Amino acid sequence: MYSSLWLNYTKLTLSDEKEKRLSDILSDVFFIGCDPENRICKSIKNEIDTAFSTIFDRKINIEFSDEDRETGLSLKIVSKEKLGDEGYRIKTSEEGFVIEANEYNGLLYGAFRFIEMLRLGKLTEEVNIIKTPDNPLRMLNHWDNMTGDIERGYSGNSFFFEDNEMIINDRTVMYARAVASVGINAVVINNVNVKGEASYLISERHYENMRKLSEIFADYGIKLFVSVNYALPMEYGLDSADPLDERVIVWWNNKCKEVHENIPLLGGFLVKADSEGRPGPFTYQRTQADGANMLARAIAPYGGLIIWRCFVYNCKQDWRDEKTDRARAGYDYFRDLDGKFERNVILQIKNGPMDFQVREPVSPLFGGMEHTNQMLEVQIAQEYTGQQRHVCYLIPWFKEVLTFNTHMKEASVADIVSGRVMGNKNAGMAAVCNTGNDYNWTGHDLAGANLYGFGRLSFDTSLPAEDIASEWARLYLASAVGEKSFENINGKTVVDTVTDILMRSWPAYEKYNAPLGIGWMCVPNIHYGPDVDGYEYSPWGTYHKADHNAIGRDRTESGTGFVSQYRKENADMYSSPETCPEELLLFFHRLPYNYVLKSGRTIIQHIYDTHFEGAEEVLKMYEAWKSLKGLISDDVYERAASRFEHQVEHSKEWRDVINSYFFRKTGIKDDKGRDLY
Amino acid sequence: MYSSLWLNYTKLTLSDEKEKRLSDILSDVFFIGCDPENRICKSIKNEIDTAFSTIFDRKINIEFSDEDRETGLSLKIVSKEKLGDEGYRIKTSEEGFVIEANEYNGLLYGAFRFIEMLRLGKLTEEVNIIKTPDNPLRMLNHWDNMTGDIERGYSGNSFFFEDNEMIINDRTVMYARAVASVGINAVVINNVNVKGEASYLISERHYENMRKLSEIFADYGIKLFVSVNYALPMEYGLDSADPLDERVIVWWNNKCKEVHENIPLLGGFLVKADSEGRPGPFTYQRTQADGANMLARAIAPYGGLIIWRCFVYNCKQDWRDEKTDRARAGYDYFRDLDGKFERNVILQIKNGPMDFQVREPVSPLFGGMEHTNQMLEVQIAQEYTGQQRHVCYLIPWFKEVLTFNTHMKEASVADIVSGRVMGNKNAGMAAVCNTGNDYNWTGHDLAGANLYGFGRLSFDTSLPAEDIASEWARLYLASAVGEKSFENINGKTVVDTVTDILMRSWPAYEKYNAPLGIGWMCVPNIHYGPDVDGYEYSPWGTYHKADHNAIGRDRTESGTGFVSQYRKENADMYSSPETCPEELLLFFHRLPYNYVLKSGRTIIQHIYDTHFEGAEEVLKMYEAWKSLKGLISDDVYERAASRFEHQVEHSKEWRDVINSYFFRKTGIKDDKGRDLY
């Protein structure tokens, strides 16, 4: 049992007149210049059939044709440069609508968007939209293990794997439809920490199922990718995985040939090498480029890509060592390799230099490399942001990352990962996915907005986070308001309420979490719940260094020098507490608790205030949610309500633990006299 | 593969003359008044045969007889009141030695001790020892799960269980011999947290193996006990486990009858009820006495005992709550039930009111109850004391507990749990065991001293810890010095060195652990490694409350009132920082860091000093161990050396984390200028 996510088509009830007119127009659908046997074309036809027949509650006519029609809905394969490989156009014709695209992928996205607009009530008399995706690759990274559990999974078990076997069933198709509908075109199905049976996903044991899965994905324009174990040759008896060893090269060449013969639609490999105990080229005193390029050359003949993660750092640091700075690691390891990677290698770079904290600066690798394919990695699995028990809508955060000016040719991160700056096609965005086999896919129903939102945003990075939230709420809650459609009773209020909750959630979470960008005040390993010193004396390179007088790390030139990894404009901005954005103040600076912020508050008072405010915000979000009772389906309401119950208590726990920690350490009282323990 | 622990008999090489004389005398062994078919008698015969034939490297004559002999070794069943059920006498006769006992258990202990004395070179011309055990019950509690893992096990997996089946093999016999040789007469084989298959240890599924095991144990005078799930009737379909519900009573009556029919030698049940999520009588608003007595009545017809643990407390406490004090819980729950338990119930009370910390006061339940069978529970599994990776010889600690004057009739803990004060026979000592299926049984070879030591101490609580350590070292390293016996080259040095290491180990561990009795500065759940605030904001009731100015909990009348659970003399002693033993100062008092101790040092300087000293001590212990290289077997040397390597580093980690934590919090520098971070 699983929900249809935002594709839960229900009967449309607009004003009678408007509905009747749309219903009339859309009773005829023409595929023009399309091959009825094309797999994606079949998916489009199915989708339109399913959607329209539900939305208007009657059968529709679908025809294939070579000639343009002036009434009904026409879906046309055309040849217009500006639509590119995956773009589409939606426009009104004389008596109907036309969706055009050069390729079937574009037509699929156009069709999905058309259905969405129809459901959102956005189909006006004068539609004329041209949309091409901003990012060539729009990818999901699933951290699913073949045993069936999911690393950092908070929504049940895997729907791809169970007991070391692959799962392929109707849910697989539902998944492909849903993620394709928001523009996802690449999916890595297994954990980057490749363990056990997963090493053999590219072997005889699983080729048949992998091929089947790749075909289901291809029906929806999605390329299947697989995480591979860098040391795979050693699992097959070789005594080395040295990327310059001829035997290793030959082994991978043969393996890639075999893989292509068995899974011709495979998109390529994702690799986590030399990271947190994973094997990699460092074992053989080779560079990351040596490792990635060896694989890239092996897979190139088959059009494959190597996505190479840049999450390489020393995870066995001495916490006493003031000089080493984990934040520096990605840049230090990769910057000098700029331009040395094969063209089918993409470096996948986490948004920040640490690891998916609620707040980090943008990784200086963006803007640091000018001749290397780059992909932005974000995490919608809420590992550090409430694990899908807290609401935390992350799209506003990703927007901030994307719009960050790297000052490399004045390019934003979005400019770089889209390929616009370097003119490269191997680029894009990836998200560590937040799904599992829970009924609602994402544990918290509201976490669905992150899945939907990532797809939409990676397709169109200019979309406002609020619009994405609002559209998701409207589409998702279409069925949540039962028989009545979204424009009926209270629809607007429900959608606005949910949008408002979503938009307030990340700022609230940040407030009751670690203060001012310093991060890592969570329980080690599980990364849930407050533990201010949890990572303080650990080997993980994640320190706040709070003492009786001061807190924060000096990452300026006088400290670890991390700032100098940025272009001058940003380095200058971060170097001074005066110009450093305050939300990152303690990431870049070590400051006394009585340092006065622009708000006029001291740091210590800021800590107290924000933590009280954050917990208060959660209460308000829950109150807002409660106002929806009876207006949305009881199922959705109750599931989220029980999580809000927990979030209310747990945000108080965050508040009290962090505030009490600093109260005990500084001896400074809250100037508003609130309870500290 | 497994070692023979301290029973690794090797050829004796004394001075030629002495050896020859002993060899001559002991070539004839007579069992007088003994039944050759008695199971324990057979074990004695086997043991003597094995031991003597190895020690003297030749066959010996063993005869059964009704008449006293004046030469050789005579083992006699006699009738002498002062030897009790389990006592023995060893004395010299005209031309030999005599071991006497009223019962076979006593004879077994006498025989084992005789062999030991022989190996230790303690058999003199004029031996005359009478020994009766101080404690009626001398018990080991294994926390082995039927899946094969061991809760708080640090020596491999279980040798009692694997894959939900029982294991019975030659190692079982070795185990029984070893623990019987030091006087253990009762063993609980499974985890007090009874999970999964373990609920069915007392069912048809395992009766056959349980009976077999109980017989092997009985061969060595050991009663088999089993931990039971208090809610067992509910596993069998009853909808209640209410101890006053007639159906529950009938169910247990029937179950005990069935158990007795199938495992007639079973000693009884150990029960952890209403503790850390375990079911118990509280569920039904019944007292702990209601629960224990119901089981006791059911098992009484078969001579069985109910060992009822007193480890009952609220493990979901609000850390903000200053009034609740976990230390109070045991007394608060059990004190008023004094005298209300059936005669075959024994309350098993942990040594301290918390949970096996390196330092705690003695539980006030000892001395609090005057009419209730009590058993002292200690833990040789080093859960909080280095997990058998650090050396921590715990016998000196247990000695302190045993000699503590409760001021209830001026009785010590030893007086109470021996039954001397109340004249009860159902009493004794239990240890949570430290064994597993590692070759050396205990992970760290030196942890073997705790297993040996607990047995010896529970038999004779007057034994000095140092003597026990020395005897263990001599017996264990007999083979460790290879072909040469212990009195040969360097024997004395080896034994003295090891004894010295053992005696220094607990004080050293205490020094680099949590200071002055406050406890709990370890990583939550795993209980290994330093984490000063790990339990500080948790629901476990374990708080140090350190702030910028002060540390410790006020448990006097002005605080939680815990002190008043002690008899007046002790309450008075603990109530004032002046008279409170300093090693417990922060357990009972909240004091500023500049409070001056009797040493003239402030608390903060004491923390710094002891932590530097503790780590330094470990280095010295390792240096001492290194001096043994080549003098003891390489196996033993290397296994322990690799653990010392770790302990050296890990004790520095403890030192630096704890010192830095307090340095950062107080801002007070070390007055010796050492590195703090």
Side-chain angles (χ1 to χ4, degrees):
Chain A
M1 282 290 289
Y2 50 87
S3 83
S4 306
L5 288 161
W6 48 87
L7 297 184
N8 51 352
Y9 303 134
T10 49
K11 188 170 179 321
L12 195 66
T13 314
L14 308 177
S15 62
D16 282 354
E17 189 191 350
K18 191 173 177 189
E19 184 194 15
K20 186 165 186 320
R21 189 173 144 69
L22 273 174
S23 178
D24 285 349
I25 292 171
L26 297 176
S27 59
D28 294 305
V29 177
F30 306 99
F31 283 79
I32 297 153
C34 294
D35 172 6
E37 294 308 310
N38 176 280
R39 57 168 75 238
I40 299 179
C41 189
K42 286 181 186 170
S43 299
I44 298 171
K45 181 170 169 292
N46 282 342
E47 198 68 30
I48 285 181
D49 204 5
T50 307
F52 288 8
S53 59
T54 310
I55 288 170
F56 300 114
D57 199 16
R58 64 181 171 82
K59 287 297 290 177
I60 55 164
N61 305 318
I62 298 186
E63 285 178 32
F64 282 81
S65 163
D66 282 336
E67 287 176 29
D68 283 354
R69 304 300 174 111
E70 297 194 340
T71 61
L73 169 64
S74 300
L75 293 108
K76 288 171 64 178
I77 290 294
V78 294
S79 182
K80 291 183 176 166
E81 200 177 334
K82 63 182 170 186
L83 296 183
D85 290 344
E86 296 188 297
Y88 60 85
R89 179 183 193 182
I90 302 174
K91 61 174 182 177
T92 43
S93 69
E94 292 294 310
E95 290 292 321
F97 300 96
V98 181
I99 307 173
E100 295 175 340
N102 288 332
E103 307 279 353
Y104 287 99
N105 261 28
L107 207 61
L108 179 74
Y109 299 138
F112 270 120
R113 183 60 189 160
F114 185 84
I115 297 166
E116 206 169 272
M117 290 174 74
L118 173 62
R119 299 175 66 212
L120 292 168
K122 289 193 170 179
L123 275 189
T124 60
E125 307 289 310
E126 293 289 325
V127 176
N128 191 353
I129 297 169
I130 292 178
K131 207 72 165 183
T132 56
D134 287 332
N135 291 294
L137 271 173
R138 305 171 300 279
M139 184 180 244
L140 292 173
N141 289 182
H142 291 267
W143 287 357
D144 293 22
N145 293 319
M146 287 200 68
T147 45
D149 61 306
I150 301 176
E151 183 158 332
R152 310 304 175 185
Y154 313 107
S155 319
N157 282 331
S158 175
F159 48 78
F160 288 125
F161 307 110
E162 188 175 19
D163 295 340
N164 291 319
E165 293 293 342
M166 294 181 68
I167 302 171
I168 297 178
N169 56 26
D170 56 352
R171 188 167 193 151
T172 319
V173 178
M174 180 68 235
Y175 168 82
R177 286 176 56 213
V179 303
S181 79
V182 289
I184 297 299
N185 67 354
V187 169
V188 187
I189 55 169
N190 64 310
N191 189 357
V192 288
N193 295 314
V194 183
K195 288 173 288 193
E197 184 65 17
S199 284
Y200 302 95
L201 269 177
I202 46 169
S203 81
E204 275 302 332
R205 298 193 205 168
H206 301 286
Y207 278 145
E208 189 181 335
N209 279 326
M210 286 288 281
R211 186 169 55 243
K212 276 188 199 162
L213 181 62
S214 72
E215 286 169 358
I216 292 172
F217 279 7
D219 290 345
Y220 289 91
I222 300 165
K223 284 263 190 191
L224 170 66
F225 284 71
V226 62
S227 295
V228 300
N229 172 1
Y230 183 79
L232 192 57
M234 299 176 77
E235 302 276 325
Y236 284 84
L238 245 63
D239 60 2
S240 169
D242 180 350
L244 303 192
D245 184 324
E246 190 59 32
R247 297 168 306 154
V248 174
I249 295 167
V250 167
W251 190 91
W252 275 110
N253 286 347
N254 292 337
K255 175 53 80 172
C256 288
K257 182 163 184 288
E258 174 193 307
V259 169
H260 177 69
E261 283 162 6
N262 286 282
I263 327 169
L265 296 173
L266 192 82
F269 303 149
L270 173 64
V271 189
K272 176 178 181 179
D274 290 311
S275 173
E276 297 178 338
R278 306 302 306 165
F282 283 168
T283 311
Y284 309 97
Q285 290 79 50
R286 310 303 183 192
T287 69
Q288 296 294 302
D290 291 331
N293 290 339
M294 178 274 291
L295 290 174
R297 289 181 202 117
I299 206 169
Y302 319 107
L305 294 176
I306 299 300
I307 320 281
W308 192 266
R309 291 177 96 234
C310 292
F311 189 53
V312 178
Y313 69 98
N314 173 13
C315 65
K316 294 187 175 170
Q317 187 180 328
D318 186 345
W319 56 269
R320 302 164 189 82
D321 169 9
E322 288 278 350
K323 287 174 199 147
T324 305
D325 181 1
R326 167 169 165 180
R328 296 186 56 115
Y331 188 97
D332 284 344
Y333 283 122
F334 284 92
R335 171 62 187 77
D336 288 347
L337 300 173
D338 188 24
K340 303 214 168 122
F341 290 93
E342 293 286 335
R343 287 175 62 185
N344 61 330
V345 173
I346 307 178
L347 296 191
Q348 184 167 302
I349 304 165
K350 292 194 184 195
N351 60 275
M354 300 301 279
D355 188 16
F356 300 138
Q357 300 301 290
V358 69
R359 176 71 70 176
E360 293 183 39
V362 165
S363 168
L365 270 174
F366 296 116
M369 295 187 292
E370 299 183 35
H371 311 284
T372 300
N373 298 323
Q374 292 161 65
M375 191 144 88
L376 169 64
E377 177 179 332
V378 296
Q379 190 188 44
I380 57 176
Q382 294 170 229
E383 178 177 355
Y384 294 95
T385 50
Q387 303 194 350
Q388 291 146 248
R389 301 178 74 188
H390 294 229
V391 194
C392 195
Y393 176 58
L394 292 163
I395 307 304
W397 174 215
F398 304 158
K399 290 285 292 183
E400 291 195 21
V401 172
L402 286 165
T403 54
F404 178 76
N405 185 349
T406 66
H407 289 292
M408 185 267 277
K409 302 177 186 170
E410 294 308 299
S412 69
V413 172
D415 292 334
I416 292 166
V417 302
S418 62
R420 284 193 290 272
V421 176
M422 290 176 253
N424 52 331
K425 288 203 77 167
N426 291 332
M429 285 174 69
V432 180
C433 201
N434 62 353
T435 54
N437 67 1
D438 277 359
Y439 172 79
N440 66 1
W441 301 76
T442 54
H444 205 311
D445 284 72
L446 293 178
N450 284 325
L451 180 59
Y452 176 86
F454 171 75
R456 295 296 310 278
L457 185 68
S458 65
F459 199 92
D460 181 354
T461 55
S462 71
L463 283 176
E466 190 160 7
D467 292 1
I468 294 173
S470 163
E471 293 199 357
W472 172 80
R474 197 171 288 266
L475 296 167
Y476 185 62
L477 297 171
S479 77
V481 292
E483 288 303 302
K484 305 147 226 132
S485 92
F486 45 83
E487 288 207 352
N488 249 3
I489 61 109
N490 234 326
K492 193 166 187 313
T493 306
V494 170
V495 169
D496 286 354
T497 304
V498 173
T499 305
D500 189 48
I501 289 171
L502 289 172
M503 290 304 291
R504 288 154 75 171
S505 62
W506 172 59
Y509 193 85
E510 183 177 12
K511 279 186 174 180
Y512 59 80
N513 213 273
L516 297 166
I518 191 68
W520 296 104
M521 294 183 174
C522 58
V523 178
N525 307 319
I526 64 164
H527 301 162
Y528 194 71
D531 186 351
V532 181
D533 277 357
Y535 274 104
E536 194 55 17
Y537 304 97
S538 81
W540 294 95
T542 51
Y543 314 114
H544 55 66
K545 303 276 181 187
D547 67 16
H548 174 58
N549 298 306
I551 178 174
R553 289 212 71 184
D554 181 0
R555 289 189 162 104
T556 67
E557 282 297 334
S558 62
T560 71
F562 168 69
V563 284
S564 62
Q565 295 187 341
Y566 290 92
R567 299 275 164 171
K568 184 169 186 313
E569 294 87 338
N570 287 329
D572 288 349
M573 172 179 71
Y574 290 135
S575 284
S576 159
E578 304 300 313
T579 53
C580 179
E582 283 195 338
E583 68 272 15
L584 289 169
L585 199 58
L586 298 179
F587 190 93
F588 285 105
H589 298 279
R590 179 167 184 78
L591 294 167
Y593 295 103
N594 60 7
Y595 177 88
V596 179
L597 300 172
K598 296 189 178 69
S599 63
R601 297 186 292 202
T602 58
I603 283 178
I604 187 73
Q605 191 57 40
H606 172 89
I607 292 174
Y608 296 152
D609 286 350
T610 51
H611 284 76
F612 280 106
E613 287 160 21
E616 190 63 30
E617 275 287 295
V618 176
L619 265 179
K620 286 183 193 155
M621 289 193 280
Y622 187 24
E623 287 306 315
W625 186 256
K626 282 182 182 167
S627 77
L628 304 181
K629 191 175 167 102
L631 300 178
I632 60 174
S633 88
D634 288 345
D635 271 13
V636 173
Y637 177 81
E638 292 298 343
R639 274 198 304 265
S642 81
R643 294 194 182 225
F644 271 119
E645 286 282 346
H646 169 73
Q647 189 181 356
V648 164
E649 289 311 308
H650 204 236
S651 61
K652 285 185 200 162
E653 192 69 11
W654 273 97
R655 174 194 74 191
D656 289 345
V657 170
I658 289 189
N659 281 349
S660 296
Y661 176 95
F662 286 106
F663 172 58
R664 293 186 189 185
K665 199 155 210 164
T666 63
I668 302 171
K669 286 181 186 159
D670 171 38
D671 66 17
K672 298 187 181 64
R674 291 163 293 196
D675 284 339
L676 304 172
Y677 303 91
Chain B
M1 281 290 291
Y2 49 88
S3 83
S4 308
L5 288 160
W6 48 87
L7 297 184
N8 51 354
Y9 303 135
T10 48
K11 187 168 180 327
L12 194 67
T13 315
L14 308 176
S15 62
D16 281 353
E17 189 191 349
K18 191 171 177 190
E19 182 193 15
K20 185 162 186 317
R21 189 172 145 68
L22 274 173
S23 177
D24 285 350
I25 292 171
L26 297 174
S27 58
D28 294 305
V29 177
F30 306 99
F31 283 79
I32 297 153
C34 294
D35 172 7
E37 293 308 309
N38 176 281
R39 57 169 73 241
I40 298 178
C41 189
K42 285 182 187 169
S43 299
I44 298 170
K45 181 169 169 290
N46 282 342
E47 198 67 31
I48 285 180
D49 203 4
T50 306
F52 288 9
S53 59
T54 310
I55 288 170
F56 300 113
D57 199 16
R58 62 181 173 82
K59 287 297 289 176
I60 54 164
N61 306 318
I62 298 186
E63 285 178 34
F64 283 83
S65 164
D66 282 338
E67 287 175 27
D68 283 352
R69 303 301 174 111
E70 297 194 339
T71 60
L73 169 64
S74 301
L75 293 110
K76 287 171 67 178
I77 290 294
V78 294
S79 182
K80 291 184 177 166
E81 201 177 335
K82 64 182 170 186
L83 296 183
D85 290 346
E86 297 188 296
Y88 61 84
R89 179 183 193 182
I90 302 174
K91 61 174 183 178
T92 42
S93 68
E94 293 293 312
E95 288 293 320
F97 300 97
V98 181
I99 306 173
E100 294 175 340
N102 288 330
E103 307 279 353
Y104 288 98
N105 262 27
L107 207 60
L108 178 74
Y109 300 137
F112 270 121
R113 183 61 189 160
F114 184 84
I115 296 166
E116 207 170 271
M117 289 174 74
L118 173 61
R119 298 177 66 213
L120 292 168
K122 289 192 171 181
L123 276 189
T124 59
E125 307 288 310
E126 291 289 324
V127 176
N128 191 355
I129 298 168
I130 292 178
K131 207 72 167 181
T132 56
D134 287 331
N135 291 294
L137 270 173
R138 304 171 300 278
M139 183 181 245
L140 292 173
N141 288 183
H142 290 266
W143 286 359
D144 292 21
N145 293 319
M146 286 200 69
T147 45
D149 61 306
I150 301 176
E151 183 159 331
R152 310 304 175 185
Y154 312 107
S155 318
N157 282 330
S158 175
F159 48 78
F160 288 126
F161 307 111
E162 188 175 20
D163 295 340
N164 291 317
E165 293 293 342
M166 294 182 65
I167 302 171
I168 297 178
N169 56 26
D170 55 353
R171 186 166 193 152
T172 320
V173 178
M174 181 69 235
Y175 168 83
R177 285 176 57 213
V179 302
S181 79
V182 290
I184 297 299
N185 66 355
V187 170
V188 187
I189 55 169
N190 65 309
N191 190 356
V192 288
N193 295 315
V194 183
K195 288 173 288 193
E197 185 64 19
S199 284
Y200 302 95
L201 269 177
I202 46 170
S203 81
E204 276 301 331
R205 298 194 206 168
H206 301 287
Y207 279 145
E208 189 181 335
N209 279 326
M210 286 288 281
R211 186 171 53 245
K212 275 188 200 161
L213 181 62
S214 72
E215 287 168 358
I216 291 172
F217 279 8
D219 290 345
Y220 289 90
I222 301 164
K223 284 262 190 193
L224 171 65
F225 283 72
V226 63
S227 295
V228 300
N229 172 2
Y230 183 80
L232 193 58
M234 300 177 76
E235 302 275 326
Y236 284 84
L238 245 62
D239 60 3
S240 170
D242 180 350
L244 304 191
D245 183 324
E246 190 60 32
R247 296 169 305 154
V248 174
I249 295 167
V250 167
W251 190 92
W252 275 111
N253 287 347
N254 291 337
K255 174 54 80 174
C256 287
K257 183 165 184 286
E258 175 194 306
V259 168
H260 177 69
E261 283 164 5
N262 286 281
I263 327 170
L265 296 173
L266 192 82
F269 302 148
L270 173 64
V271 190
K272 176 177 181 180
D274 289 311
S275 173
E276 298 180 335
R278 305 302 306 166
F282 284 168
T283 310
Y284 309 97
Q285 290 79 51
R286 310 302 183 192
T287 68
Q288 297 294 303
D290 291 332
N293 289 339
M294 179 273 291
L295 290 174
R297 289 179 202 118
I299 207 170
Y302 318 106
L305 295 176
I306 300 299
I307 320 282
W308 192 265
R309 291 177 96 235
C310 292
F311 189 53
V312 179
Y313 69 99
N314 173 14
C315 66
K316 294 186 175 170
Q317 186 178 330
D318 186 344
W319 57 268
R320 301 165 190 81
D321 170 10
E322 288 279 350
K323 287 172 198 147
T324 305
D325 181 1
R326 168 170 166 180
R328 295 186 56 114
Y331 188 97
D332 284 345
Y333 284 123
F334 284 92
R335 169 64 186 77
D336 288 348
L337 299 174
D338 189 24
K340 303 214 168 121
F341 290 91
E342 293 286 334
R343 288 177 60 186
N344 61 330
V345 173
I346 307 177
L347 296 190
Q348 184 167 303
I349 305 165
K350 292 194 185 195
N351 59 275
M354 300 301 278
D355 188 17
F356 300 138
Q357 301 301 291
V358 69
R359 175 72 70 174
E360 293 183 40
V362 165
S363 168
L365 271 174
F366 296 116
M369 295 188 292
E370 300 183 35
H371 311 284
T372 300
N373 297 324
Q374 293 160 65
M375 190 145 90
L376 169 65
E377 177 179 333
V378 295
Q379 190 187 43
I380 55 175
Q382 293 170 231
E383 178 177 357
Y384 294 95
T385 48
Q387 302 195 351
Q388 291 147 246
R389 301 178 73 188
H390 294 228
V391 193
C392 193
Y393 177 59
L394 293 163
I395 307 305
W397 174 214
F398 303 158
K399 289 285 292 182
E400 291 195 20
V401 172
L402 286 165
T403 54
F404 178 76
N405 185 348
T406 66
H407 290 292
M408 185 268 276
K409 303 176 184 170
E410 294 308 299
S412 68
V413 172
D415 292 333
I416 293 167
V417 301
S418 62
R420 283 194 291 270
V421 177
M422 292 176 252
N424 53 330
K425 287 204 77 168
N426 291 331
M429 286 174 68
V432 180
C433 202
N434 62 353
T435 54
N437 68 1
D438 277 359
Y439 172 79
N440 66 1
W441 301 76
T442 54
H444 204 311
D445 285 71
L446 293 178
N450 284 325
L451 180 59
Y452 176 87
F454 172 75
R456 295 296 311 276
L457 185 67
S458 64
F459 199 92
D460 181 355
T461 53
S462 70
L463 283 177
E466 189 161 5
D467 291 0
I468 294 173
S470 163
E471 293 199 357
W472 172 81
R474 197 171 288 264
L475 295 167
Y476 184 62
L477 297 172
S479 77
V481 291
E483 289 303 302
K484 305 149 226 127
S485 92
F486 46 83
E487 287 206 353
N488 249 4
I489 59 112
N490 237 325
K492 193 164 187 315
T493 306
V494 169
V495 169
D496 286 352
T497 304
V498 173
T499 304
D500 188 48
I501 290 171
L502 289 171
M503 290 305 291
R504 288 155 76 171
S505 61
W506 172 59
Y509 193 85
E510 183 178 12
K511 280 186 174 181
Y512 59 81
N513 213 273
L516 297 165
I518 190 68
W520 297 102
M521 294 184 174
C522 58
V523 178
N525 307 318
I526 65 164
H527 300 162
Y528 194 71
D531 185 350
V532 181
D533 276 358
Y535 274 103
E536 193 55 17
Y537 304 97
S538 81
W540 293 95
T542 50
Y543 315 115
H544 56 66
K545 303 277 182 187
D547 67 15
H548 174 58
N549 298 306
I551 178 173
R553 290 212 71 184
D554 181 359
R555 289 188 162 104
T556 68
E557 282 297 332
S558 62
T560 71
F562 169 69
V563 284
S564 62
Q565 295 186 341
Y566 290 92
R567 299 275 165 171
K568 185 169 184 313
E569 294 87 337
N570 286 328
D572 288 349
M573 172 179 70
Y574 289 136
S575 285
S576 159
E578 304 301 313
T579 53
C580 180
E582 284 194 339
E583 67 273 14
L584 289 169
L585 198 58
L586 298 179
F587 190 94
F588 286 103
H589 298 278
R590 180 166 184 77
L591 294 167
Y593 295 104
N594 59 8
Y595 177 89
V596 178
L597 300 172
K598 296 188 178 70
S599 62
R601 297 187 292 201
T602 59
I603 284 179
I604 188 73
Q605 191 57 41
H606 172 88
I607 292 174
Y608 296 151
D609 286 349
T610 50
H611 284 76
F612 280 106
E613 286 160 21
E616 190 63 31
E617 276 288 294
V618 176
L619 264 180
K620 286 185 195 154
M621 288 192 279
Y622 187 23
E623 287 306 315
W625 185 257
K626 282 182 183 166
S627 76
L628 304 181
K629 192 174 167 105
L631 300 178
I632 60 174
S633 88
D634 288 345
D635 270 13
V636 173
Y637 177 81
E638 292 298 342
R639 275 198 304 266
S642 80
R643 293 191 184 228
F644 271 119
E645 285 282 346
H646 169 73
Q647 189 180 358
V648 164
E649 289 311 308
H650 204 237
S651 60
K652 286 185 201 163
E653 192 70 9
W654 273 97
R655 173 193 74 191
D656 289 345
V657 170
I658 290 189
N659 281 348
S660 296
Y661 175 95
F662 286 105
F663 172 57
R664 293 186 190 184
K665 200 155 208 163
T666 63
I668 302 170
K669 286 182 185 157
D670 171 40
D671 67 14
K672 298 188 181 65
R674 291 163 292 196
D675 285 337
L676 304 173
Y677 301 93

